[in-house]
Amino acid sequence: MRQRVLRIVSDVLGEPIDQLNDGSSPDTVDKWDSLNHMNLVLALEEAFGVQFTDDQIMKLLSVEAIVKALAEVVPATDDAAG
Amino acid sequence: MMVAQREGADGAEQREVKGGVGSKSLPSLSYLQRWGASMLPTLPVLNVTILRNVVLEPIVPYLRYLSWQEGFNAACTFGGYDLVLQDAVGGAPGLLNESTDCVLVFLRLETLSPQLAFGFAGLSAETARQEVQRIREAVVATIAGIRRQTSAMILWHSFELPLYPALGTIDGQRPGEGQTGAVRELNDAVADALHQTRNAFLVDLNRCLARVGADDFYDARYWHAAKAPYTLQALREIAFEDMKYVRALKGRARKCLVLDCDGVLWGGTIGEDGLAGIRLGTAFPGSAFLEFQQEILNLHHRGVLIALCSKNNAEDVWAVFDQHPDMALRRAHIAGARINWTDKATNLKEIARELNIGLDSLVMLDDSAFEVNLIQEFLPEVTVIGLPAGRPSDYRSILAGCGLFDTLTLSVEDRARGALYQIEAARRQVQSESGDMESYLRSLEMALDIRITDDFALPRVAQLTQKTNQFNLTTRRYSDEDIRRLQERDDADVVYLRYRDRFGDAGIVGVCILLYAGETVAFDSFLLSCRVLGRGVERAFLAQCLARAAKRGAVSAIGEYRSTAKNAQVREFYASSGFSAVRDESQGDRYRIDLVDAPPAGDVFRIETDLV
């Protein structure tokens, strides 16, 4: 899942994937502005087929936080797929 | 549909698109973001300006992808958030100028008037009326302001009707009353203002909303978190809808629908099941095919040519057309047919040649995945729609929803086009009977009407510059507005040609634009619909235009040929009409003639003109 998240962050922000890590956030990536954050949330929800809660949307401000939030909402699908 | 094969798309995404129709067939956002980075920069640019009072930036990848499918590199620029009126009325040269192709306006009531959108029940009738009036004036000022700055196409997105109107069940019970009535009134006012503005159209968001469904159209989380009311699904549908107008604006509306027969026009196989055995009629399951045929007929009446391409015995298929009592489609509606056992790629090429249109003007509908793949492989220019096996009940909406045939105007010529092609078939019949060309041409009793473009002819003249590809010397595309400006110039003549003969009236089929500079006249544009070629019309038209130039005092004329992928047939037109090539020009091929040497119009035509 981490790898898919990095891929999507890279696609949406137009930042090479090898420049991204768990700590990547709006503070470390220039293109991660509020508008691109919106695009990122939309792309993540579409790719994983999930809907974040209002609170989660505000907190998805690093790769690590995104992976953590996704783990909360998608474990069931991952198990089913495995 | 065209797929992203040029870009080396990954397999999964590509399968998603292939054969898909409608906004649901668009790839995912993250895929498009990646794809966008690698997009070919060589395509002509389509400048799109988006004025809005909501956040809808994620629409851009969809607009770019759909534009790319039509051969354009869309460059999208946004006006500031909630600065629509300032940009439109105050002026915004960076956003609105003469290189703008299209302006998308999204003025959402929720931002424009929170009172009307959220607090309607608390408003007095008088306050509500004043507020509606205020919005109405803002709309009119915005449209006028945009038009002052650019002649680009304006696409205004309507106000959405409230899902849960402020007064509940009684809202709008009486026409014009309640929140529903207020929104309807505003939409009517917008439609009126747009209708009085050239090149401006209403995009009905309520229809997009209905197609997607409200639960999938809105996401209140994004509205509150980022003032972004629409879901990706909604933006996909809106981009898809907008693209119908852009396609028409850019002359990319398809011209001919080519149909497979078995499993498409009726259920079953005519060769095996026989006339009485195929499924077609008012009762299920034949009713799905009948409804589909009625939609095909609608396209016929809108000027789309209908052709058949089927692996079958021709007599079996024609027996259905001539004898089956439940066929809505008849032989008379068919402009061309290839019913044989040859491969469909070859047949489609022949159909395009016979109808004198490009392969990229064809849309093929087929229920066989094999045929769909074969055509996509060998004729990527042709748009192929694969109909879903076993779901004929979906055929009608697939065709009606594809939007590939949409136009911005519907001329008299469009409505009669199907009949014109049948007349053409009759002409060919006479030609084969009469033997030599000269007596054939005389037997046609051809008459040409060559005149300066007036307001009645203007839309058709503009349409011809947008749609004509093959017999078109310079392929300059002009909007209604462009033509109007040319009309108003003292140093320009916009000339049209109307053709008729004993088989019928072909309407306006030729355009010539002359620009005068001193004693020289330049042929800015010279084009003819392919329907009237091969009988000397082009020479007579040219001769009349040269005579016009001479009358206005010109002594020499310059003809120009600008090469495109489709107009090779006219490369030598000026050279073969008595012009000589001008060598020292760097841009394109130019030809010159002294007007005293101009060729005569010939005497096989009866010519009526106000030019000389």
Side-chain angles (χ1 to χ4, degrees), chain A residues 7-8 11-13 35-36 38-43 45-47 50-54 57-58, chain B residues 27-31 33-34 55 57-58 62 219 221-222 224-226 228 230-232 235-236:
Chain A
R7 172 91 235 187
I8 291 167
D11 285 344
V12 172
L13 302 181
L35 200 59
N36 268 331
M38 198 65 222
N39 281 336
L40 184 58
V41 176
L42 287 164
E45 291 194 337
E46 184 182 45
V50 298
Q51 294 246 311
F52 297 110
T53 65
D54 292 17
I57 290 178
M58 308 322 313
Chain B
S28 70
L29 183 64
S30 63
Y31 166 75
Q33 299 268 9
R34 196 175 347 139
V55 168
E57 270 75 353
Y62 300 126
D219 192 321
R221 296 170 309 150
Y222 299 140
H224 290 289
Y230 306 120
T231 61
L232 293 183
L235 294 174
R236 264 198 295 248

